């Protein structure tokens, strides 16, 4: 068997056998197949796609290139929620404690942010001395006590994905839907769960800009999960404007804590409640969204979810009192207020532009090697549909270094689109695929 013949076959849009996929991926992992041949194969996939059978086996082969995490002594209904990344996406901060409070547990791998999208690890690491679990034993211990099991990505988990992604990054094949689906699902299947819920962001601030692309990616991922016996649901959610009001790291932790105290932004609440409802429904505990809402309302009102977040932070090395004292979080040296120079109704807030405005002042990474400043970020004072006058405060920029502050301010001003007519409220749950 030769790599060139496998490339030729995929170039002609023919289905690969399991043996051919084995040969290609094992050879690449062992460095017996060079980058230039794998690059050629990836481009063939970009243009010719993969069949359901090919993609499922390709994904399992990726998963099995490294460690898999299964729990023999974690007696919970395990839910793994994954987000494809967005601006202001602090869903995991809020979701984990709520799922635990209603009798389930979160077991998931979390990543760092790159570009204009934030990562869950960066948010939690804004809490002094907080450390994510790095071993299965640490994960199980904390999840057993709190129901929240979050672990950073390890080089030992799906190493083939890391190797192939680095190649995709420099060969213009990052935006291949089957390759994105395989990359995400290989990591989801590497850690045990009863249910995988995929929060697929759609719109300006998301990787998937159109509903058609998001739908296709969701369909492929759900297909992979369900075909190997892991119940998988995709929730397509809006990312035409940032989620919630805070963008950054420490300030997103604050917004997450406030949500667990009942002080929600409507869009964040809608997304979190929908995901918890789907989890409760598939566990068999509720039939309707209204039933799930009452259960969630109760664990917010009685403080159970907030207490579980506090305990999770403490067991992870951080100071749990941060849920009551935000001064324990990093604070910026300066605040720049941004005022509207137009009158009318906000018809759009360009999420990607807001994400970039936060990134250039240090809240995100332009490259994987960049350091994040956990204290900096943005606080939106207006959302789509709000009325504004000239001179109204529309955002605050929290910063430590003034180097890019004017650029950040201009990005914020450009992001706020003002029109004469009030727009309808944005729908945050766009579609469910299962």
């Amino acid at each position: 068997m030769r790599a060139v013949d496998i490339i030729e076959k995929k170039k002609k849009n023919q289905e690969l056998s399991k043996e051919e996929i084995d040969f290609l991926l094992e050879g690449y992992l062992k460095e017996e197949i060079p980058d230039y041949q794998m690059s050629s194969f990836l481009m063939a996939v970009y243009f010719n796609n993969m069949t359901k059978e090919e993609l499922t086996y390709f994904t399992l082969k990726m998963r099995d290139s490294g460690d898999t995490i299964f729990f023999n002594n974690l007696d919970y209904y395990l839910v793994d929620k994954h987000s494809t990344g967005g601006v202001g996406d602090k869903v995991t901060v809020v979701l984990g404690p709520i799922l635990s409070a209603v009798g389930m547990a979160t077991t998931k791998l979390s990543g760092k942010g790159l570009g204009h999208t934030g990562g869950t690890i960066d948010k939690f690491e804004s809490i002094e001395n907080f450390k994510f679990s790095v071993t299965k034993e640490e994960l199980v211990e904390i999840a057993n006590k709190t129901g929240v099991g979050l672990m950073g990505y390890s080089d030992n988990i799906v190493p083939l994905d890391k190797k192939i992604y680095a190649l995709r990054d420099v060969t213009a094949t990052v935006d291949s839907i089957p390759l994105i689906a395989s990359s995400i699902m290989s990591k989801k299947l590497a850690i045990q769960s009863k249910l995988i819920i995929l929060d697929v962001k759609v719109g300006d601030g998301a990787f998937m800009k159109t509903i058609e692309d998001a739908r296709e990616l969701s369909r492929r991922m759900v297909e992979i999960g369900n075909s190997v016996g892991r119940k998988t649901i995709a929730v397509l959610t809006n990312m035409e404007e940032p989620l919630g009001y805070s963008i950054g790291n420490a300030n997103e932790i604050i917004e997450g804590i406030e949500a667990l105290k009942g002080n929600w932004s409507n869009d964040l609440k809608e997304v979190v409640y929908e995901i918890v409802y789907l989890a409760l429904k598939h566990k068999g505990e509720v039939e309707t969204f209204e039933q799930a809402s009452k259960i969630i309302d109760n664990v917010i009102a009685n403080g159970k979810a907030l207490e579980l977040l506090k305990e999770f932070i403490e067991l992870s090395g951080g100071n749990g009192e941060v849920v009551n004292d935000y001064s324990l979080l990093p604070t910026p040296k300066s605040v720049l207020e941004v005022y509207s120079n137009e009158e009318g109704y906000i018809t759009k807030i360009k999420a990607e532009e807001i994400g970039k405005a936060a990134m250039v002042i240090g809240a995100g990474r332009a490259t994987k090697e960049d350091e994040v400043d956990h204290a900096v970020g943005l606080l939106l004072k207006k959302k789509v549909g709000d009325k504004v006058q000239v001179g109204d405060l529309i955002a605050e920029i929290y910063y430590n270094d003034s180097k890019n502050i004017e650029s950040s301010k201009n990005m914020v001003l450009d992001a706020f689109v003002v029109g004469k007519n009030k727009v309808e409220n944005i729908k945050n749950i766009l579609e469910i695929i299962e």
Side-chain angles (χ1 to χ4, degrees):
M1 198 176 290
R2 299 186 309 164
V4 66
D5 298 323
I6 297 171
I7 297 165
E8 177 75 19
K9 193 172 177 180
K10 181 44 66 179
K11 184 183 80 174
K12 292 178 178 177
N13 202 16
Q14 297 171 357
E15 186 173 23
L16 302 182
S17 68
K18 290 181 178 179
E19 291 74 23
E20 287 167 326
I21 293 171
D22 284 342
F23 178 83
L24 186 73
L25 293 184
E26 288 174 10
Y28 186 59
L29 190 61
K30 294 174 185 174
E31 300 187 348
E32 294 167 356
I33 290 174
D35 279 353
Y36 62 83
Q37 285 189 309
M38 182 55 82
S39 299
S40 184
F41 171 77
L42 295 173
M43 191 59 79
V45 169
Y46 180 90
F47 284 111
N48 289 327
N49 214 320
M50 296 176 97
T51 66
K52 176 183 174 181
E53 290 72 22
E54 272 182 310
L55 187 56
T56 299
Y57 190 74
F58 187 92
T59 303
L60 291 176
K61 194 72 184 173
M62 295 258 285
R63 177 198 68 181
D64 295 339
S65 67
D67 295 343
T68 52
I69 299 176
F70 291 88
F71 311 108
N72 300 319
N73 54 346
L74 199 53
D75 189 23
Y76 282 100
Y77 185 88
L78 302 178
V79 180
D80 184 344
K81 189 279 301 181
H82 174 81
S83 170
T84 55
V87 180
D89 182 6
K90 69 278 299 177
V91 169
T92 296
V93 177
V94 186
L95 183 70
I98 292 176
L99 285 173
S100 177
V102 301
M104 293 180 273
T106 309
T107 47
K108 70 185 297 289
L109 301 173
S110 291
K112 295 194 172 189
L114 185 61
H116 68 276
T117 62
T120 298
I121 283 183
D122 298 313
K123 299 185 209 311
F124 275 108
E125 286 186 346
S126 63
I127 301 169
E128 189 177 8
N129 297 323
F130 184 100
K131 292 285 183 285
F132 270 86
S133 299
V134 293
T135 68
K136 173 183 168 180
E137 290 71 28
E138 289 173 346
L139 185 72
V140 169
E141 182 183 357
I142 293 174
N144 258 323
K145 291 176 180 174
T146 68
V148 183
L150 304 180
M151 185 176 183
Y153 285 112
S154 159
D155 289 343
N156 297 325
I157 295 173
V158 199
L160 195 50
D161 175 65
K162 186 174 183 180
K163 191 172 167 66
I164 288 177
Y165 189 89
L167 194 60
R168 285 169 56 205
D169 197 32
V170 294
T171 57
T173 52
V174 166
D175 57 340
S176 162
I177 284 180
L179 295 176
I180 296 168
S182 178
S183 175
I184 291 171
M185 290 304 294
S186 63
K187 289 174 281 201
K188 296 296 98 186
L189 296 174
I191 187 165
Q192 180 186 345
S193 65
K194 289 272 190 184
L195 175 66
I196 297 171
I197 299 179
L198 303 162
D199 179 1
V200 180
K201 303 293 186 190
V202 188
D204 182 82
F207 190 64
M208 295 289 115
K209 303 295 184 187
T210 69
I211 189 77
E212 292 78 18
D213 283 348
R215 191 179 287 132
E216 177 62 11
L217 174 62
S218 299
R219 185 184 68 78
R220 299 309 303 266
M221 292 192 293
V222 167
E223 202 172 67
I224 293 167
N226 289 340
S227 68
V228 298
R230 190 81 65 89
K231 179 60 187 175
T232 305
I233 306 169
V235 185
L236 278 62
T237 64
N238 178 65
M239 190 39 71
E240 282 294 318
E241 71 169 333
L243 190 63
Y245 288 90
S246 298
I247 298 92
N249 293 293
N251 57 352
E252 286 193 44
I253 287 288
I254 292 171
E255 186 170 15
I257 293 168
E258 283 297 313
L260 293 176
K261 293 177 179 178
N263 304 317
W264 294 89
S265 66
N266 291 334
D267 50 357
L268 177 61
K269 183 175 184 178
E270 192 176 335
V271 172
V272 171
Y273 272 54
E274 183 70 24
I275 292 171
V276 179
Y277 157 60
L278 290 169
L280 285 168
K281 186 175 85 165
H282 283 275
K283 189 186 177 191
E285 293 201 356
V286 302
E287 293 182 0
T288 68
F289 181 83
E290 290 69 28
Q291 290 171 330
S293 293
K294 287 179 182 176
I295 293 171
I296 303 166
D297 288 345
N298 188 48
V299 299
I300 297 292
N302 65 21
K304 186 176 179 182
L306 184 64
E307 187 56 38
L308 285 164
L309 176 64
K310 180 182 179 183
E311 189 178 358
F312 169 69
I313 291 169
E314 289 171 347
L315 289 171
S316 303
N319 185 344
E321 273 307 306
V322 74
V323 303
N324 300 311
D325 183 0
Y326 301 145
S327 70
L328 295 171
L329 289 164
T331 53
K333 294 175 185 172
S334 305
V335 179
L336 176 67
E337 295 180 330
V338 183
Y339 299 98
S340 176
N341 49 23
E342 298 178 82
E343 179 181 337
Y345 293 92
I346 297 170
T347 59
K348 182 177 177 62
I349 302 175
K350 301 174 189 174
E352 183 171 355
E353 198 72 0
I354 291 291
K356 288 177 179 177
M359 184 183 74
V360 298
I361 56 167
R365 295 178 179 83
T367 71
K368 291 176 183 176
E369 292 72 35
D370 288 350
E371 290 291 323
V372 161
D373 184 340
H374 294 99
V376 305
L378 276 68
L379 181 64
L380 305 183
K381 292 295 188 176
K382 300 287 184 181
K383 296 280 275 183
V384 169
D386 289 346
K387 189 172 184 178
V388 289
Q389 306 283 348
V390 173
D392 279 356
L393 181 65
I394 56 173
E396 293 175 345
I397 305 174
Y398 301 111
Y399 66 100
N400 284 323
D401 186 341
S402 61
K403 178 182 173 186
N404 293 317
I405 192 64
E406 281 302 313
S407 295
S408 181
K409 177 186 174 181
N410 290 333
M411 288 175 184
V412 171
L413 286 169
D414 179 63
F416 277 81
V417 180
V418 178
K420 293 188 181 301
N421 300 315
K422 183 176 171 67
V423 297
E424 293 293 319
N425 287 336
I426 286 180
K427 186 180 177 186
N428 293 298
I429 308 299
L430 304 175
E431 203 168 308
I432 308 289
I433 296 175
E434 56 181 299

